[in-house]
Amino acid sequence: MFKRATQLVCSITLLASSFAQADALIDALADEGRPTEQRLRDEYRHPQQTLRFFEVQEDMAVAEISPGGGWYSNILAPLLKEKGQFYAAHFYVDENTNEFYKKSREQFEQKITALKSYQNVKVTTFHPMKATDFAPAESLDRVLTFRNIHNWYMQDGDEGVENAFKAFYKALKVGGVLGVVEHSLRESQSSALQQSSGYMKQSYVIALAEKAGFTLAGKSEINANKLDSGEHEKGVWTLPPSLRLGEKDEGKYLKIGESNRMTLKFVK
């Protein structure tokens, strides 16, 4: 009887913990700092399911790599502000940096002072070739990167991606998780498309993560889109939200929706 009672108490505790986490994430998704246009993309980016797959919890130390305009940061900042720590490892900027990256970082830093949900955010810097120490070694529970690997590859090839994964491995605690979302190129397609299309092969990403020391812990189809062929005139930017071709075949690309994306979970 005592054993059964103990098991029941443990089950109730775990269930309560699960509900508490669910509420924390749902509250973060509903945070007032999230613009309406960003909420509309939940249909394509599935943030709740994605963050649950990466097992992100409100009391963790989490880094988002190259957050750009802060689409995911607008969820992570309120989620982690009370019990956790959020590192926004933003773009490296110097005198040679183009205006897009400069403006993106500047606007992000302005957001820190404007939104209450950003009170506990540490803005640091990441670049796979110039700035890899974005958080103290072995300090993080999670490192998350959303649609960034193609940029490192297009700019610095294998070395850029390898350096990035090495930096993530260094920053994570033992048992910590690296969560990756990236535009996914079909394995049957030419690897040459990775050089300019914005799409990467899942096998390539897994191989370089494992080379850095990570173990693949899981794959998810949360962000998959079978309607996306991965071959478009302007690469992945042909599709929404970019729609680089303007009104040309706009209806066709809106019907396809956002890109086909891999969602991978690695463990240190």
Side-chain angles (χ1 to χ4, degrees):
M1 180 67 71
F2 177 77
K3 185 176 181 181
R4 286 185 179 180
T6 302
Q7 289 175 336
L8 180 60
V9 169
C10 290
S11 297
I12 292 172
T13 301
L14 288 171
L15 186 60
S17 175
S18 176
F19 275 124
Q21 171 57 18
D23 288 343
L25 182 52
I26 290 171
D27 287 347
L29 287 162
D31 187 78
E32 62 182 7
R34 293 192 73 207
T36 300
E37 61 270 21
Q38 291 191 7
R39 297 170 192 262
L40 292 175
R41 292 187 68 196
D42 288 0
E43 173 187 358
Y44 301 107
R45 301 195 69 176
H46 312 105
Q48 181 179 167
Q49 299 93 319
T50 300
L51 293 175
R52 291 200 194 289
F53 178 67
F54 294 149
E55 301 174 89
V56 177
Q57 298 177 24
E58 61 182 321
D59 59 351
M60 289 181 168
V62 180
E64 182 187 0
I65 307 299
S66 302
W71 196 94
Y72 257 102
S73 296
N74 286 340
I75 301 168
L76 292 167
L79 176 64
L80 301 167
K81 73 174 182 178
E82 298 292 341
K83 301 178 181 179
Q85 179 63 65
F86 179 43
Y87 289 82
H90 218 286
F91 297 132
Y92 174 86
V93 173
D94 62 15
E95 64 275 9
N96 298 316
T97 303
N98 70 42
E99 288 303 314
F100 172 82
Y101 291 112
K102 287 181 180 178
K103 186 175 182 180
S104 178
R105 173 150 187 158
E106 180 182 337
Q107 291 177 338
F108 190 91
E109 290 177 343
Q110 290 173 353
K111 183 186 297 187
I112 299 299
T113 59
L115 297 177
K116 292 181 180 179
S117 56
Y118 275 72
Q119 291 174 349
N120 192 27
V121 177
K122 293 184 179 180
V123 180
T124 60
T125 299
F126 177 77
H127 188 288
M129 308 300 287
K130 301 175 182 178
T132 56
D133 292 329
F134 60 91
E138 298 189 346
S139 66
L140 300 178
D141 299 290
R142 299 289 183 271
V143 172
L144 308 177
T145 173
F146 303 99
R147 305 175 307 143
N148 289 310
I149 296 175
H150 64 278
N151 290 318
W152 306 326
Y153 181 79
M154 289 166 62
Q155 292 169 9
D156 298 296
D158 292 344
E159 185 179 6
V161 181
E162 289 176 7
N163 285 353
F165 283 133
K166 287 178 184 177
F168 305 158
Y169 193 87
K170 179 181 177 181
L172 280 165
K173 302 173 183 177
V174 174
V177 167
L178 167 64
V180 174
V181 176
E182 180 56 276
H183 309 297
S184 187
L185 189 66
R186 294 174 185 172
E187 295 296 326
S188 60
Q189 292 173 297
S190 172
S191 296
L193 288 170
Q194 295 184 149
Q195 297 171 6
S196 60
S197 70
Y199 291 89
M200 305 295 297
K201 286 190 175 182
Q202 183 170 273
S203 60
Y204 174 88
V205 175
I206 293 172
L208 267 67
E210 290 179 339
K211 185 177 180 179
F214 286 103
T215 298
L216 179 65
K219 306 176 185 178
S220 175
E221 295 296 304
I222 294 167
N223 297 299
N225 179 0
K226 294 181 179 179
L227 296 177
D228 179 19
S229 69
E231 294 190 48
H232 310 291
E233 184 177 341
K234 295 289 185 179
V236 71
W237 304 279
T238 307
L239 299 177
S242 297
L243 293 170
R244 288 278 177 87
L245 295 179
E247 294 182 359
K248 179 182 177 183
D249 294 327
E250 181 179 11
K252 169 186 171 181
Y253 296 120
L254 287 173
K255 186 175 181 179
I256 292 172
E258 295 195 19
S259 68
N260 180 43
R261 296 165 188 162
M262 66 184 87
T263 306
L264 305 175
K265 178 166 57 179
F266 299 94
V267 176
K268 174 175 177 177

